[in-house]
Amino acid sequence: MALGSDAECGEDCTDNESSLGGGHTSEMLSLAAALDRRRFCPRVYVAAAGDSLSGERALRTEEEDGARLETIPRSRRVGQSWVSSVWTTAVAMLAALRLVFTVRPRLVLANGPGTCVPVCLSALLMKWLLWRPVHVTFVESVCRVRSLSLSGQILYRLADDVIVQWPELLQRYPRALYMGRLV
Amino acid sequence: MARVFVTVGTTEFDKLVRTVTSTDVLRTLSSRGYREMVLQIGAGKTEPPTGTVEGVAVRWFRSKPSIAEDMAAADLVIGHAGAGTCLEALRAGRALVVVTNTTLMDNHQAELAGRLAADGHLLHCVCETLRDTLAGMELSQLRPLPPADPTPFAEHLERRLGLR
């Protein structure tokens, strides 16, 4: 998730959740690289705790721009029971709320499973409850052609933008945006 | 010497490893002019034979930090249907045959492979049909993948944030 700024450098946060093989990390780095560094800075990358590989990659790329990495607990592991997921999601949500309410991003850019949902929801709460301006954009992975990921489905009606990378998804999700393949 | 690079990704795909090193498939590849095969087998239990089998020199490894060099050195890539593998091979301009792992429960990974196959960028099959796919493939008919373009995305965000 990239929290961007407007013309003066505010707080900027990029959330990348690395799943198998770090695909989402690569996608997030490509997306973040496309954003004007003078306008969208500084950048805070948010990864799930334990995903040190994805976070390190993000930082190495952005080091010169004063970017930093924050980690929050993973909200759910693949295959985790739904009962225990409620607890871990709550823990992740608290950590996300604390992070987002501290950083106060102007833009949240999210992709990937798990971690991005608590961060996006926190940003939306900040908008709705505190009336702080923040734009929440979820970019669905390029590997999703016919179905949205769970994160995408959750954020479909909540985020300001849900961007897909294949036009077929517009049939099932007409509120989504398609602007070609981005990565 | 024409080389095949086989990659199963970060997990495992023993069935592909067994299929691609079977007599049938190696003979087919040999008859199509391939003389070398390098396999990346991940965490798989099946270890391929090493040495020359049916006219193809086979060697393998489990994983590397990057398979970019192996991809670049290959004339044909045979891979699992993972999105990362598909895109990495296509961006490197490799001829690609993608094999779906039908034993996987959630196969949304294969959505991308299917879409790219429908657009003519790669060949898509399952282990059972790999031999026939290799026997009949016309790689010159594969279309290169156009580069991605994130510019509209950046412009969209700048507009939405009132920056332009």
Side-chain angles (χ1 to χ4, degrees):
Chain A
M1 233 171 352
L3 307 179
S5 71
D6 43 27
E8 61 266 356
C9 285
E11 288 298 319
D12 190 13
C13 181
T14 308
D15 176 27
N16 51 78
E17 164 93 16
S18 164
S19 64
L20 302 171
H24 292 101
T25 305
S26 303
E27 291 200 36
M28 177 54 73
L29 291 177
S30 298
L31 293 171
L35 299 178
D36 188 332
R37 262 157 221 278
R38 293 159 305 170
R39 290 175 160 176
F40 295 93
C41 74
R43 300 176 181 201
V44 176
Y45 289 84
V46 184
D51 260 355
S52 54
L53 196 64
S54 67
E56 280 162 21
R57 282 174 62 190
L59 261 192
R60 269 203 307 274
T61 309
E62 295 264 343
E63 237 160 39
E64 289 162 30
D65 294 283
R68 72 176 197 268
L69 170 71
E70 298 284 345
T71 59
I72 65 175
R74 186 184 289 270
S75 39
R76 183 174 177 268
R77 293 189 185 288
V78 175
Q80 184 181 347
S81 76
W82 286 105
V83 172
S84 67
S85 296
V86 172
W87 170 250
T88 52
T89 302
V91 170
M93 195 63 205
L94 280 175
L97 279 167
R98 182 184 299 137
L99 177 63
V100 170
F101 279 56
T102 308
V103 171
R104 303 203 188 177
R106 178 70 184 85
L107 167 69
V108 171
L109 177 60
N111 76 345
T115 304
C116 75
V117 170
V119 179
C120 287
L121 290 181
S122 299
L124 292 166
L125 282 173
M126 190 174 74
K127 170 157 45 185
W128 299 330
L129 298 181
L130 299 187
W131 291 72
R132 276 202 66 98
V134 58
H135 190 88
V136 177
T137 296
F138 177 81
V139 181
E140 185 58 90
S141 168
V142 69
C143 69
R144 291 289 186 167
V145 180
R146 288 200 297 272
S147 57
L148 277 190
S149 62
L150 182 58
S151 301
Q153 290 174 48
I154 292 170
L155 293 170
Y156 175 62
R157 290 193 184 283
L158 299 175
D160 297 301
D161 297 320
V162 170
I163 298 174
V164 297
Q165 302 194 51
W166 296 97
E168 293 91 309
L169 285 164
L170 296 177
Q171 289 164 22
R172 275 176 76 182
Y173 302 100
R175 291 183 71 235
L177 296 175
Y178 168 68
M179 41 190 84
R181 200 180 61 163
L182 304 179
V183 300
Chain B
M1 286 208 297
R3 175 188 296 186
V4 182
F5 177 58
V6 180
T7 171
V8 308
T10 50
T11 50
E12 58 172 11
F13 193 176
D14 279 341
K15 193 172 176 191
L16 175 61
V17 172
R18 282 196 303 274
T19 307
V20 87
T21 52
S22 66
T23 315
D24 256 0
V25 170
L26 286 174
R27 263 192 211 149
T28 305
L29 285 169
S30 188
S31 75
R32 297 295 311 254
Y34 296 95
R35 294 285 177 270
E36 281 185 70
M37 175 183 288
V38 178
L39 296 102
Q40 176 269 323
I41 71 167
K45 297 185 195 59
T46 303
E47 291 186 359
T50 315
T52 302
V53 185
E54 299 291 335
V56 179
V58 178
R59 61 182 173 84
W60 60 273
F61 61 91
R62 289 201 173 268
S63 68
K64 281 180 185 174
S66 164
I67 55 171
E69 277 182 24
D70 294 283
M71 286 236 185
D75 300 284
L76 171 67
V77 176
I78 300 175
H80 73 133
T85 298
C86 285
L87 292 174
E88 189 174 354
L90 291 178
R91 284 176 191 137
R94 302 298 92 187
L96 178 60
V97 173
V98 152
V99 185
T100 298
N101 188 347
T102 49
T103 64
L104 284 182
M105 293 220 4
D106 169 20
N107 234 338
H108 85 261
Q109 285 276 1
E111 285 179 18
L112 180 62
R115 181 55 152 84
L116 294 170
D119 280 354
H121 299 302
L122 52 82
L123 296 173
H124 189 197
C125 64
V126 291
C127 286
E128 290 78 0
T129 53
L130 178 60
R131 195 217 76 91
D132 288 342
T133 303
L134 294 174
M137 64 186 179
E138 292 290 345
L139 298 179
S140 58
Q141 293 184 356
L142 291 177
R143 297 171 52 219
L145 182 70
D149 182 13
T151 319
F153 161 73
E155 290 173 353
H156 165 82
L157 281 182
E158 292 192 359
R159 268 197 309 273
R160 294 278 273 175
L161 265 64
L163 299 178
R164 61 166 66 201

